[in-house]
Amino acid sequence: MNGKIIGEDQKGVALFVEDNSGNEHEIGVSSDGNIFHHADDVIPDNPSERSDKEDETFSQVRRFARWHVYREKGYDTVPASENPDRIAGVLLALLNLDQAEFEKYFGTLCRQVGSRDLPDVEPPLDLPPEVYNEQFIVYHQHVYLEDDLETIQQEIRQAGSGVLTEQTIQELVTTDSQNFFSKASSLLGDESLTDLSIEGVSGVHTRYFEDTNEDRIIESDDPFDREPDACIELFPTELTPEFYGLYIVNNLICQIRDCYIGIGVEPPAQYRILGPGKDKYTGKYYHFDFYPEYFDHEAEIPGYTPPIPMQLDQYL
């Protein structure tokens, strides 16, 4: 994808976007991210007349347009759930936690994730027993930072440029340390990594599919009336507690990867990690044959590496 801003007025920003097939789209994006104009000569206007690849390309172009305006103009045009800077900010803040702080925020999530397959872990959530019989379950937890988007961007440029590097992330996600946060502290230094901090988290939401293939969500509490900066999405796993921090970090890295894939560009090298990230993108990779299977840690995709040490392979 390539973008070129061609004008701006009180309605918004106009730009040309060239998609990955070389076709040009004319896009209008308002300062709040609304797409008020989209014209091209290749993809049918009627969604029912598009192929899956045409429909996904159409969506990629719109997501890229919002991203390009965000990066070039500084407007908050990217939905919070699709903004890799926000997720990277949460990743930085999480790496700055010690074990006790991690347990305070994410202990319930981690115990619930392990409770289905580990007989000595009691599930902290009071879920209907039949939920555990469903083939597909994913647990969501919203994370909120104390900081606004401008501060997050500044920290990604400053602290993130030294921490979220290809070498550092590779060392983090391939550690065999029995204490992930001790390993992270040793690798990244004892001083505070970032000024970003977690304001709070939601309870653990449970998403599952019934036999009818309908999406069901059992909601938990959420103390904030705004979009979260990230939503951790974890499948049940047999991972033991010493790997929970690593599991969450890997999920966030893969979510950042998915944000870039979603706008039709290769992610920065440090985020080219295999494994499950955003569940909705896992569905795309699984069902659309024009996407590689980024969610599969055993996939052979040039430039992408398995996520975590061989000790964990059996669990993902």
Side-chain angles (χ1 to χ4, degrees):
M1 294 277 182
N2 292 296
K4 180 182 179 181
I5 292 176
I6 57 175
E8 182 177 4
D9 58 21
Q10 70 277 6
K11 193 172 183 179
V13 178
L15 65 158
F16 289 131
V17 174
E18 182 184 17
D19 68 30
N20 290 332
S21 296
N23 303 314
E24 191 171 80
H25 302 247
E26 186 179 275
I27 308 286
V29 183
S30 67
S31 59
D32 64 357
N34 178 54
I35 303 290
F36 61 83
H37 174 70
H38 185 170
D40 76 278
D41 296 328
V42 178
I43 298 176
D45 291 334
N46 187 341
S48 66
E49 298 176 0
R50 301 173 192 156
S51 67
D52 287 341
K53 187 171 184 178
E54 288 175 331
D55 197 54
E56 182 65 7
T57 298
F58 187 87
S59 296
Q60 280 185 344
V61 166
R62 295 162 77 90
R63 291 190 290 260
F64 179 87
R66 294 187 180 100
W67 169 255
H68 192 68
V69 171
Y70 164 74
R71 297 289 283 186
E72 296 297 317
K73 294 291 186 177
Y75 300 138
D76 190 6
T77 49
V78 180
S81 62
E82 298 287 335
N83 192 327
D85 288 348
R86 290 187 181 273
I87 301 172
V90 170
L91 177 58
L92 275 176
L94 192 148
L95 290 172
N96 215 31
L97 300 177
D98 60 28
Q99 188 66 43
E101 292 169 325
F102 176 81
E103 172 66 25
K104 179 181 73 171
Y105 290 124
F106 305 111
T108 298
L109 172 65
C110 292
R111 287 192 295 276
Q112 185 64 35
V113 162
S115 64
R116 190 184 70 174
D117 298 318
L118 297 176
D120 57 341
V121 177
E122 288 293 325
L125 300 185
D126 184 17
L127 299 178
E130 58 269 20
V131 171
Y132 294 102
N133 295 326
E134 301 300 335
Q135 185 175 4
F136 178 91
I137 303 175
V138 60
Y139 298 109
H140 292 184
Q141 185 168 26
H142 299 159
V143 185
Y144 300 86
L145 298 178
E146 291 183 354
D147 313 275
D148 60 20
L149 181 56
E150 183 178 355
T151 303
I152 293 171
Q153 290 174 299
Q154 291 173 350
E155 285 294 297
I156 295 303
R157 286 193 297 267
Q158 297 171 14
S161 64
V163 175
L164 303 179
T165 65
E166 184 176 7
Q167 179 180 352
T168 298
I169 286 183
Q170 283 290 335
E171 290 191 52
L172 278 173
V173 301
T174 57
T175 180
D176 58 0
S177 172
Q178 293 300 296
N179 188 325
F180 174 74
F181 290 96
S182 293
K183 172 69 174 183
S185 177
S186 173
L187 180 63
L188 302 172
D190 293 330
E191 296 183 2
S192 179
L193 303 173
T194 177
D195 290 332
L196 298 175
S197 55
I198 295 174
E199 183 174 4
V201 300
S202 72
V204 178
H205 308 287
T206 304
R207 181 168 175 253
Y208 66 100
F209 284 98
E210 289 191 322
D211 291 337
T212 57
N213 206 33
E214 290 186 3
D215 188 0
R216 304 281 181 160
I217 298 178
I218 300 175
E219 295 189 351
S220 186
D221 61 294
D222 206 326
F224 298 95
D225 187 23
R226 68 176 194 266
E227 289 294 308
D229 293 290
C231 175
I232 298 168
E233 304 180 27
L234 302 182
F235 296 99
T237 178
E238 295 179 8
L239 291 180
T240 51
E242 62 266 23
F243 291 114
Y244 286 151
L246 183 55
Y247 191 26
I248 290 178
V249 163
N250 189 80
N251 179 249
L252 292 173
I253 292 170
C254 291
Q255 287 198 32
I256 296 171
R257 174 206 67 202
D258 291 344
C259 290
Y260 284 100
I261 298 298
I263 62 173
V265 302
E266 282 291 321
Q270 62 266 39
Y271 303 126
R272 295 177 190 176
I273 305 293
L274 298 174
K278 287 182 168 295
D279 178 55
K280 79 170 187 176
Y281 281 97
T282 295
K284 291 176 186 288
Y285 306 149
Y286 186 83
H287 292 291
F288 295 158
D289 58 10
F290 50 82
Y291 274 127
E293 295 185 336
Y294 297 104
F295 68 91
D296 183 356
H297 73 286
E298 294 183 333
E300 295 184 4
I301 304 174
Y304 286 77
T305 58
I308 46 183
M310 294 300 293
Q311 294 95 318
L312 280 69
D313 280 358
Q314 61 182 306
Y315 303 132
L316 295 179

